[in-house]
Amino acid sequence: MDYVSALLPPVVMAAFFIALVVVIVKSQGGTNKAKEDAVVDAALARAEATRQTDGTPAG
């Protein structure tokens, strides 16, 4: 019976991990993809603009 109590936590964690991966994969794309892409593009553009204004060497 000790082997059941030893194997139960890893099996439960594996099941939760698989469920998490399934949820992440299913949430990719779909109707929110364009909105998510726009948010990422805006953040990248903002970071690039900050880098260009602050990162220019003087001289």
Side-chain angles (χ1 to χ4, degrees):
M1 202 59 185
D2 287 336
Y3 62 90
V4 173
S5 62
L7 289 177
L8 188 61
V11 169
V12 170
M13 286 190 295
F16 279 119
F17 180 74
I18 291 170
L20 176 67
V21 170
V22 168
V23 168
I24 290 172
V25 168
K26 283 188 176 184
S27 69
Q28 299 298 311
T31 58
N32 291 328
K33 183 168 178 34
K35 185 170 36 172
E36 292 170 358
D37 288 347
V39 169
V40 171
D41 289 342
L44 290 175
R46 189 169 39 244
E48 180 66 21
T50 303
R51 185 186 66 80
Q52 286 179 354
T53 58
D54 294 341
T56 55

